[in-house]
């Protein structure tokens, strides 16, 4: 690996401010940014500063290390297609081009994955760095690079790093991006060279955000302070297998599964403890509740890589066989739902060998991450593939009994493994921390918060737990904390030419576990579930934190790759993955998770496909695009008929109720009915569930008078205490996703359930049954929207509530207002909603603003790859004033797709800028 070196900084205009006091530097920063914003005085300086970092996209550039010339052809949206004659040249050029467009983003990402954000942004990031150092992503990535990855993968990673460093050579921060120019007035930070491990580490960050049910584990445990076992079970209903079909219906599960279906037993068979089983009884009490509440605060502050810290992340992908398409060949669609970020987490590009041979093996195009070689999702000349998060359970939390510098395990004290980490802080003193982990590699997360340590020392537990001793801590078992081969999988997928190649490549994709759909030019479709997925003993299903002192709760092994579900050319002619259950639990021997998405989106997509097949019989590329934009609300179809039967006294509320008459349940941005219904839905959730959840799950600042509780539960003397919520608005519960659809659907047949009861509040009436609570919610919704949108319902629209803001993920969220103005964009009024196919997600507990989005959309036409279509959330560039910063966003909002050129002829026809990289 190339060593880290520091670029030198020359004497350029505007740098004298660095040698003055902090106040003077900030004043200069204000003036400079005002000029960038367009103030006439000094405009020449500001324009030159902004343009200094724009990439050269025409002419030629000499890059030392290339073995031959490389062509970089960009279309009118700045999307690059790279042509080379060797693999090493191809990936070196990829590194150079991505650094041209996105190096600041790449640099921030690698500082996040290595726990070094404080080096860029100062003491405010120390806590995050402490937690990220405890996880140790970069240490594991280095071990992967040194011991796990193939020689060819290392060669490609080295070439990519060489290309990034060729771009950095001789450049100061302000030559690279506007953000560095801003940082330069408050920080002497200068970018360092890129390393291959920087690229590998990014896969760990991706896996963290797609880690499965860890948040549900925490939430279920926290609920025990306010709710009983049956109440918690009510809030986590069974997956509706009979209504929402799993991914694999006609597929195979290997001989072991066949034995299971005949009644044979296998190790690691499905546990039955659930949310109220033996693991709960072993760890119940204020120990786990207090520890997890504190842990949640730490987790919530960790910057997201691609998602919303595991909450609400979904995706759609489906493939239709040629017998049901207009072209006679398969069509494949994909739109991953991730956090809205600026620039988009995805980077579009093509990687082409002029002649595919053993020397140069790649001809692939699609979406990748800036900072990583290869293509993550896309197609080559033979196959296409898409991904959605499988949601399988690959994380478990353990309550550990701490004893000195050890922990109890099967009656004996084992010593922690420990290491010291030093965190460097821009403008401040370095901080040293000690990271402790168990013998099997589980880091003690609770060490990262002094309050958690104290809680662990004082926490009460029930008699099933061992004596307190020196306290309790929370440790994490996670598959991504073991070195793996996911980087090998990326390159194997990129050159796969058949189903067999695809399955072999997928087997290398150990974390994060993804649903992979497949289509080929020779008219086949398929699905496979890869990943390193643990097996557990019969006493533990992974649904809640487990007692670390009992070996029965440790993982028993991993499911073999040939035992994981897959499906190839199913008779029904299509495969849909949208975070629903992968297989029916009664047809598979292993517990993949207890926390699937509940299938609202997947079943809607299935219904749309089947409706089209029964209608015209054939599906087009544009039909696939239209399906991606479906805004239908499944929960509205259930509730609106009931809401319309409610008798309301207030004429203003009746006026709002009439908006729902004749509504087609479509959540268009200009729909007043959608605005009112979603407000009613939000208020139903708040009244029935939200106000009854513990403070650790409610929105920060939302205060309620609640029954007093102690370590044994509620105090039965009518004593009330004021409790305020502790969660950020986009992470609180009830979030309104399809789990809550299922909760409400189940309770609809229990109109007198205690969940439907809510007390009087001010002039609002109490509710003692379902219909009374619905009436109360309709009243509350009417006056909530009156306050937000005005009394005249003719002016209401869903888009006025449901808005997207795109924010630069560093200085655009934490910087001064004027800097946020420079870097951020929006708002846009969006259609769609939570758990719809067009999943512009919002958190019902926190408000109506857009929290996650279809981060890209693509439709691949396997008959004619040049007729495929794609779009990104933002644009190719990370430079704030580039023409390609957000040039795709307007089309994305409208649901449009761009042409996606692949063949040499199509790429040449779409080329706007051509650059030659010379050796």
């Amino acid at each position: 690996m190339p060593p880290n070196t520091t670029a030198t900084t020359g004497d350029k205009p505007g740098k004298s401010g660095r040698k003055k006091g902090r106040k003077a530097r900030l004043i200069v920063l204000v003036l400079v940014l005002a000029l960038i914003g367009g103030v006439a005085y000094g405009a020449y300086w500001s324009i030159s500063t902004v343009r200094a970092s724009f990439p050269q996209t025409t002419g030629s550039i000499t890059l030392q290390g290339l073995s031959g010339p490389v062509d970089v052809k960009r279309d009118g949206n700045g999307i690059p297609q790279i042509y080379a004659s060797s693999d090493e040249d191809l990936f070196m050029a990829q590194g150079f081009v991505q650094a041209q467009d996105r190096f600041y983003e790449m640099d921030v990402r690698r500082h996040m994955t290595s726990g070094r954000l404080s080096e860029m942004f100062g003491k405010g990031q120390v806590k995050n760095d402490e937690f990220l150092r405890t996880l140790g992503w970069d240490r594991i990535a280095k071990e992967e690079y040194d011991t796990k990855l193939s020689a060819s993968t290392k060669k490609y990673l080295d070439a990519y790093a060489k290309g990034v460093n060729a771009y950095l050579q001789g450049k100061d921060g302000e030559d690279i991006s506007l953000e560095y120019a801003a940082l330069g007035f408050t920080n002497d930070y200068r970018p360092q060279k890129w390393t291959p491990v920087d690229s590998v580490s990014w896969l760990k960050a991706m896996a963290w955000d797609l880690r499965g049910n860890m948040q549900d584990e925490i939430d279920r445990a926290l609920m025990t302070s306010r709710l009983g076992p049956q109440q918690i079970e009510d809030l986590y209903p069974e997956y509706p297998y009979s209504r929402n079909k799993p991914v694999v219906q006609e597929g195979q599960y290997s001989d072991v599964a066949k034995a299971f279906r005949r009644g044979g037993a296998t190790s690691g068979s499905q546990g039955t403890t659930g949310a109220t089983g033996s693991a709960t009884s072993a760890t119940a009490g204020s120990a786990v509740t207090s520890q997890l509440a504190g842990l949640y605060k730490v987790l919530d502050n960790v910057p997201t890589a691609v998602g919303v810290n595991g909450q609400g992340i979904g995706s759609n992908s489906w493939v239709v066989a040629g017998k049901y398409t207009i072209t006679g060949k398969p069509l494949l669609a994909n739109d991953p739902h991730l956090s809205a970020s600026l620039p988009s987490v995805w980077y579009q590009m093509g990687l082409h060998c002029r002649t595919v041979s053993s020397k140069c093996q790649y001809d692939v195009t699609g979406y990748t991450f800036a900072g990583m070689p290869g293509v993550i999702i896309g197609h080559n000349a033979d196959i296409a593939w898409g991904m959605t998060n499988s949601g399988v359970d690959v994380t478990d939390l353990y309550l550990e009994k701490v004893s000195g510098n050890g922990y109890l395990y099967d009656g004996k004290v084992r010593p922690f493994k420990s290491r010291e980490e030093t965190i460097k802080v821009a403008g401040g003193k370095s901080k040293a921390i000690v990271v402790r982990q168990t013998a099997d590699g589980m880091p003690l997360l609770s060490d990262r918060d002094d309050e958690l340590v104290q809680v662990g020392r004082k926490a009460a537990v029930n008699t099933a737990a061992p004596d307190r001793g020196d306290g309790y801590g929370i440790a994490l078992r996670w598959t991504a904390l073991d070195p793996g081969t996911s980087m090998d999988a990326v390159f194997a997928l990129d050159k796969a030419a058949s189903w067999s190649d695809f399955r072999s490549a997928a087997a290398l994709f150990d974390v994060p576990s993804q649903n992979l759909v497949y289509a080929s030019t020779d008219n086949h479709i398929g699905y496979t579930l890869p990943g390193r997925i643990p097996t557990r003993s019969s006493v533990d299903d992974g649904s809640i934190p487990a007692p670390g002192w009992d070996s029965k709760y440790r993982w028993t092994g991993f499911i073999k790759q040939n035992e994981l579900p897959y499906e190839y050319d199913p008779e029904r002619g299509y495969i849909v993955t949208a975070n629903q259950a992968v297989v029916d639990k009664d047809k598979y021997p292993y517990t993949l998770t207890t926390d699937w998405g509940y299938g609202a989106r997947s079943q809607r997509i299935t219904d749309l496909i089947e409706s089209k097949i029964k209608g015209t019989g054939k599906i087009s590329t544009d039909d696939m695009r239209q399906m991606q934009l479906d805004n239908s609300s499944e929960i509205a179809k259930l509730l609106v008929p009931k809401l319309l039967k409610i008798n309301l006294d207030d004429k203003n509320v009746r006026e709002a109720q009439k908006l729902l008459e004749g509504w087609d349940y479509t959540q268009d941005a200009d729909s007043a009915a959608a605005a009112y219904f979603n407000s009613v839905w939000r208020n139903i959730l708040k009244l029935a569930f939200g106000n009854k959840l513990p403070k650790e799950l409610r929105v920060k600042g939302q205060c309620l008078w609640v029954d007093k509780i102690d370590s044994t539960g509620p105090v039965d003397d009518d004593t009330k205490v004021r409790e305020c919520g502790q969660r950020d608005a986009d992470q609180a519960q009830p979030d309104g996703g399809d789990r809550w659809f299922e909760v409400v659907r189940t309770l609809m047949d229990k109109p007198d359930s205690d969940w439907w009861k809510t007390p009087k509040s001010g002039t609002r009436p109490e509710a003692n049954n379902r219909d009374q609570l619905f009436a109360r919610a309709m009243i509350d919704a009417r006056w909530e929207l009156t306050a937000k949108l005005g009394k005249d319902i003719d002016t209401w629209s869903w888009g006025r509530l449901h808005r997207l803001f795109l924010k630069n993920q560093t200085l655009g969220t934490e910087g001064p207002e004027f800097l946020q103005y420079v870097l951020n964009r929006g708002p846009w009024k969006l259609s769609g909603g939570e758990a719809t196919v067009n999943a512009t997600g919002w958190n019902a507990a926190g408000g109506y603003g857009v929290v996650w989005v279809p981060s890209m959309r693509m439709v691949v036409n396997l008959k004619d790859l040049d007729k495929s279509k794609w779009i990104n959330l933002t644009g190719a560039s990370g430079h704030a004033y580039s023409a390609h910063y957000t040039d795709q966003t307007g089309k994305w909002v409208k649901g449009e797709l761009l042409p996606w050129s692949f063949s040499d002829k199509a790429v040449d026809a779409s080329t706007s800028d051509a650059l030659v990289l010379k050796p």
Side-chain angles (χ1 to χ4, degrees):
M1 293 182 294
N4 285 339
T5 60
T6 303
T8 59
T9 302
D11 295 325
K12 294 192 175 184
K15 290 213 167 185
S16 60
R18 290 187 177 178
K19 299 181 180 179
K20 300 179 181 179
R22 178 175 174 81
K23 183 176 181 180
R25 290 199 300 268
L26 290 175
I27 291 172
V28 173
L29 180 59
V30 172
L31 292 174
V32 170
L33 290 170
L35 296 177
I36 292 171
V39 177
Y41 178 71
Y44 175 80
W45 194 94
S46 67
I47 291 170
S48 65
T49 301
V50 173
R51 290 181 175 172
S53 59
F54 285 9
Q56 178 182 337
T57 58
T58 60
S60 65
I61 298 175
T62 298
L63 292 190
Q64 187 175 357
L66 288 175
S67 63
V70 176
D71 294 307
V72 182
K73 302 176 181 181
R74 293 178 183 263
D75 66 11
N77 291 98
I79 300 170
Q81 304 281 344
I82 299 175
Y83 291 82
S85 297
S86 73
D87 290 338
E88 292 93 325
D89 283 357
L90 189 66
F91 295 116
M92 181 178 175
Q94 183 182 17
F96 181 86
V97 170
Q98 286 192 343
Q100 279 188 307
D101 286 336
R102 301 273 194 100
F103 182 77
Y104 177 77
E105 175 194 2
M106 294 163 59
D107 200 16
V108 171
R109 284 179 174 177
R110 66 164 165 177
H111 278 78
M112 183 188 75
T113 58
S114 59
R116 293 167 47 222
L117 288 167
S118 300
E119 294 178 19
M120 294 186 76
F121 304 110
K123 63 182 180 181
Q125 294 297 323
V126 169
K127 283 290 184 183
N128 286 333
D129 284 347
E130 289 180 9
F131 184 75
L132 293 165
R133 294 287 184 96
T134 299
L135 291 175
W137 292 340
D138 63 326
R139 296 175 67 258
I140 301 158
K142 185 178 187 307
E143 188 176 350
E144 284 186 4
Y145 180 87
D146 290 341
T147 66
K148 287 287 186 178
L149 299 181
S150 68
S152 61
T153 293
K154 291 183 183 180
K155 182 172 61 176
Y156 302 154
L157 288 164
D158 291 345
Y160 181 90
K162 188 188 299 183
V164 175
N165 293 328
Y167 167 75
L168 294 177
Q169 187 172 1
K171 289 183 173 64
D172 295 330
E174 63 265 37
D175 300 324
I176 299 172
S177 81
L178 179 61
E179 289 93 334
Y180 288 122
L183 277 177
F185 287 96
T186 58
N187 186 348
D188 290 329
Y189 173 79
R190 288 168 289 184
Q192 296 177 323
K193 281 191 174 182
W194 193 263
T195 74
V197 172
D198 292 334
S199 296
V200 180
S201 294
W202 181 242
L203 282 173
K204 299 300 179 185
M206 174 184 169
W208 176 252
D209 282 352
L210 304 175
R211 61 190 178 269
N213 78 332
M214 182 172 162
Q215 190 63 62
D216 287 313
E217 280 190 55
I218 293 174
D219 286 356
R220 270 190 290 263
L222 291 174
M223 285 178 184
T224 60
S225 69
R226 286 277 169 201
L227 305 177
Q230 183 57 53
Q231 290 173 308
I232 296 174
E233 190 172 321
D234 288 346
L235 302 186
Y236 288 89
E238 284 285 321
Y239 183 90
Y241 289 98
S242 61
R243 188 174 67 253
N244 297 341
K245 300 299 183 185
V247 177
V248 175
Q249 300 169 42
E250 305 169 35
Q252 299 186 32
Y253 319 116
S254 82
D255 291 339
V256 69
K258 294 173 184 175
F260 175 80
R261 289 199 295 274
R262 291 194 301 268
T266 64
S267 62
S269 60
Q270 299 197 74
T272 59
T273 58
T276 60
S278 59
T280 301
S281 64
T283 60
S286 65
V288 71
T289 301
S290 301
Q291 284 274 19
L292 289 170
L295 175 59
Y296 177 80
K297 294 177 185 177
V298 177
L299 294 175
D300 192 37
N301 287 327
V302 175
T304 60
V306 298
V308 193
N309 278 333
Q311 281 274 75
I313 295 176
S315 298
N316 301 323
S317 191
W318 67 93
V319 60
V320 180
K323 65 181 179 180
Y324 291 131
T325 70
I326 288 175
T327 66
K329 291 289 182 73
L331 295 171
L332 184 150
N334 196 189
D335 56 288
H337 308 153
L338 303 171
S339 292
S341 60
L342 180 61
S344 168
V345 67
W346 298 110
Y347 185 93
Q348 299 154 284
M349 71 188 319
L351 301 171
H352 308 278
C353 290
R354 294 189 179 95
T355 301
V356 177
S357 65
S358 59
K359 180 182 178 182
C360 196
Q361 304 173 73
Y362 296 89
D363 187 18
V364 62
T365 180
Y367 297 84
T368 187
F369 301 123
M372 267 188 58
V375 167
I376 304 297
I377 295 173
H379 72 81
N380 58 32
D382 300 299
I383 72 166
W385 66 96
M387 294 185 187
T388 64
N389 193 20
S390 70
V392 299
D393 186 1
V394 295
T395 60
D396 276 338
L397 293 170
Y398 288 88
L399 184 67
E400 301 288 351
K401 181 202 173 296
V402 180
S403 180
N405 195 36
Y407 60 100
L408 188 68
Y409 188 79
D410 282 350
K412 297 180 180 179
V413 175
R414 289 185 173 185
F416 283 111
K417 295 179 180 179
S418 62
R419 67 180 188 273
E420 187 171 297
E421 299 270 355
T422 300
I423 297 169
K424 297 179 181 179
V425 182
K429 294 181 180 179
S430 297
K431 181 175 181 180
I433 64 169
V434 175
V435 176
R436 297 189 292 177
Q437 64 184 48
T438 64
D440 48 358
M442 297 195 299
L444 200 65
L445 303 184
S446 47
D447 277 355
R448 297 287 66 85
D449 189 281
D450 292 340
E451 182 181 345
L452 291 185
V453 174
Q454 293 302 316
V455 167
R457 287 175 179 165
K458 299 177 181 179
V461 292
N462 65 18
T463 55
D467 181 71
R468 177 184 302 109
D470 292 334
Y472 298 90
I474 296 288
L476 170 68
R477 182 75 169 100
W478 178 34
T479 53
L481 296 181
D482 301 326
T485 56
S486 291
M487 199 71 240
D488 283 341
V490 172
F491 297 111
L493 281 172
D494 286 356
K495 63 182 180 181
S498 66
W499 172 246
S500 176
D501 290 348
F502 175 76
R503 287 263 291 163
S504 297
L508 299 170
F509 210 101
D510 42 26
V511 291
S513 176
Q514 298 286 286
N515 294 310
L516 291 177
V517 294
Y518 165 93
S520 65
T521 55
D522 61 355
N523 225 351
H524 296 285
I525 64 172
Y527 162 87
T528 192
L529 175 70
R532 197 159 183 257
I533 302 171
T535 56
R536 298 172 175 86
S537 69
S538 60
V539 300
D540 181 28
D541 64 3
S543 63
I544 56 171
W549 49 82
D550 189 339
S551 62
K552 293 196 299 290
Y553 293 91
R554 287 299 203 263
W555 293 354
T556 58
F558 298 92
I559 303 174
K560 295 177 182 178
Q561 289 297 310
N562 64 1
E563 294 177 358
L564 288 170
Y566 69 93
E567 197 164 57
Y568 186 62
D569 286 339
E571 181 62 29
R572 67 184 181 279
Y574 61 85
I575 302 169
V576 176
T577 80
N579 316 113
Q580 80 271 38
V582 169
V583 295
D584 192 309
K585 67 175 182 177
D586 295 328
K587 298 179 180 178
Y588 191 65
Y590 301 108
T591 298
L592 296 172
T593 185
T594 59
D595 292 298
W596 302 114
Y598 280 78
R601 280 181 290 109
S602 63
Q603 194 57 43
R604 175 62 178 171
I605 294 167
T606 297
D607 291 345
L608 290 170
I609 292 171
E610 291 187 344
S611 174
K612 195 70 179 177
I613 290 172
K614 291 175 183 177
T616 63
K618 301 293 181 180
I619 294 173
S620 69
T621 300
D622 197 60
D623 290 332
M624 300 283 275
R625 179 188 70 87
Q626 293 285 359
M627 291 178 194
Q628 289 178 326
L629 303 179
D630 182 78
N631 292 322
S632 179
S633 170
E634 296 304 300
I635 190 62
K637 294 175 185 177
L638 175 69
L639 292 182
V640 167
K642 296 288 186 183
L643 296 175
L644 288 173
K645 294 178 181 179
I646 303 293
N647 292 320
L648 298 163
D649 295 330
D650 190 317
K651 66 177 183 179
N652 292 298
V653 183
R654 290 201 306 272
E655 180 186 33
Q657 182 186 34
K658 287 182 179 179
L659 290 172
L660 304 179
E661 294 179 359
W663 179 44
D664 63 357
Y665 314 121
T666 298
Q667 300 170 98
D668 293 329
D670 60 359
S671 170
Y676 182 59
F677 172 77
N678 282 319
S679 183
V680 174
W681 170 236
R682 167 173 149 81
N683 280 281
I684 287 173
L685 292 171
K686 179 181 177 180
L687 295 168
F689 311 105
N691 291 348
K692 298 163 189 173
L693 296 177
K695 61 183 182 297
E696 293 87 359
L697 275 68
R698 298 201 313 269
V699 176
K700 191 178 294 183
Q702 181 196 93
C703 301
L704 300 169
W705 288 96
V706 299
D707 293 332
K708 184 178 180 180
I709 60 172
D710 59 21
S711 59
T712 63
V715 176
D716 191 22
D717 62 0
D718 294 327
T719 302
K720 298 287 185 180
V721 295
R722 191 169 184 265
E723 282 188 352
C724 297
Q726 297 180 350
R727 284 207 177 165
D728 287 342
D730 63 359
Q731 296 282 294
Q733 292 292 339
D735 60 21
D738 64 356
R739 172 164 69 90
W740 294 98
F741 291 11
E742 201 62 26
V743 169
V744 170
R745 184 187 299 275
T746 302
L747 290 171
M748 289 291 284
D749 294 331
K750 302 174 183 178
D752 296 318
S753 166
D754 286 345
W755 287 113
W756 299 126
K757 297 177 181 179
T758 192
K760 180 180 179 180
S761 177
T763 61
R764 303 286 200 270
E766 70 175 350
N768 291 304
N769 57 46
R770 182 196 65 202
D771 289 352
Q772 288 177 359
L773 186 136
F774 284 4
R776 167 78 177 273
M778 295 175 79
I779 295 168
D780 288 356
R782 179 20 159 152
W783 299 115
E784 180 187 8
L785 294 197
T786 297
K788 291 180 181 294
L789 303 179
K791 188 173 182 179
D792 184 358
I793 65 172
D794 291 336
T795 67
W796 291 2
S797 71
W798 177 225
R800 287 181 63 195
L801 292 171
H802 193 53
R803 300 186 299 167
L804 170 67
F805 291 86
L806 291 175
K807 294 185 177 182
N808 178 287
Q809 294 301 290
T810 57
L811 301 179
T813 56
E814 300 294 335
E817 286 188 16
F818 50 80
L819 190 53
Q820 294 186 36
Y821 175 81
V822 168
L823 296 174
N824 297 341
R825 300 291 182 268
W828 287 269
K829 298 176 181 179
L830 296 192
S831 301
E834 180 62 30
T836 63
V837 181
N838 184 18
T840 57
W842 56 287
N843 186 299
Y848 304 98
V850 176
V851 178
W852 53 85
V853 294
S855 55
M856 62 80 158
R857 298 186 184 103
M858 74 176 198
V859 179
V860 183
N861 182 329
L862 277 298
K863 172 68 173 180
D864 185 346
L865 293 168
D866 287 330
K867 291 183 179 178
S868 302
K869 304 285 185 179
W870 62 353
I871 197 79
N872 206 352
L873 174 63
T874 60
S877 179
H879 300 286
Y881 285 93
S882 165
H884 306 307
Y885 191 47
T886 56
D887 59 332
Q888 297 186 50
T889 308
K891 293 181 182 295
W892 176 92
V893 170
K894 296 175 184 177
E896 299 176 10
L897 299 176
L898 298 173
W900 184 357
S901 300
F902 178 68
S903 69
D904 293 350
K905 181 179 179 181
V907 169
D908 286 343
S910 64
T911 296
S912 294
D913 289 354
L915 174 70
V916 179
L917 304 178
K918 297 181 177 180

